[in-house]
Amino acid sequence: FAYIMTKEHIPKMIADTMLSLTDNKYVLLLLINIFLIFVGMFMETIAAILILFPVLLQLATSVGVDSIQFGVMVVMNLVLGLCTPPVGVCLFAATNIAGNKLSDNVKALLPFLLANFAVLGLVTYVPFITAGIANLILGA
């Protein structure tokens, strides 16, 4: 899947499509979040980062998003995708380890997913949480 995406220049096409839809920073960040959660559901995290991050970082920085903020946002999106059905790898692994039904685990996971989505919203739309704190620590 990663090979096909790279060979066919799919990340570049997706970035161009997103930029053609809007140049509003906040709408673009929402589109990137939705896209990355979807990708995280089906694709392994490291491969997704290697393939998509360079293209999406260029897109995000073109509308004024800090690179530290964007990096944290990408990782959070892909990790959320790991726990989200239909192919949530971590969800299925936890189900097998616990010996529970998938529906029981999804019900138990729902409050945590909602909290994680709330944190993702804060990281996406409040840059001080990531970039500001990093700049304070690094003295930049």
Side-chain angles (χ1 to χ4, degrees):
F1 184 67
Y3 173 77
I4 291 170
M5 283 186 67
T6 305
K7 180 115 172 96
E8 297 297 323
H9 304 287
I10 292 173
K12 177 79 171 126
M13 290 184 339
I14 291 169
D16 291 342
T17 302
M18 284 184 190
L19 201 53
S20 70
L21 292 174
T22 183
D23 59 350
N24 183 329
K25 173 183 175 178
Y26 301 107
V27 174
L28 190 63
L29 287 172
L30 179 65
L31 290 173
I32 290 172
N33 279 340
I34 292 168
F35 172 68
L36 287 173
I37 288 172
F38 180 75
V39 167
M41 289 181 197
F42 297 101
M43 201 171 169
E44 199 266 323
T45 304
I46 301 298
I49 289 172
L50 288 173
I51 294 168
L52 299 171
F53 189 79
V55 175
L56 292 177
L57 178 64
Q58 183 180 19
L59 174 67
T61 54
S62 73
V63 293
V65 177
D66 186 76
S67 58
I68 294 173
Q69 175 191 3
F70 186 71
V72 172
M73 193 181 88
V74 167
V75 171
M76 286 187 70
N77 276 299
L78 293 173
V79 168
L80 277 169
L82 285 173
C83 299
T84 310
V87 187
V89 176
C90 290
L91 179 62
F92 285 108
T95 300
N96 286 336
I97 290 169
N100 296 340
K101 293 190 311 186
L102 180 63
S103 60
D104 293 338
N105 283 356
V106 170
K107 287 177 191 172
L109 181 66
L110 196 58
F112 297 104
L113 278 177
L114 292 174
N116 280 325
F117 279 112
V119 171
L120 176 63
L122 287 173
V123 165
T124 301
Y125 295 111
V126 183
F128 180 77
I129 292 175
T130 53
I133 293 173
N135 290 335
L136 285 176
I137 292 171
L138 297 174

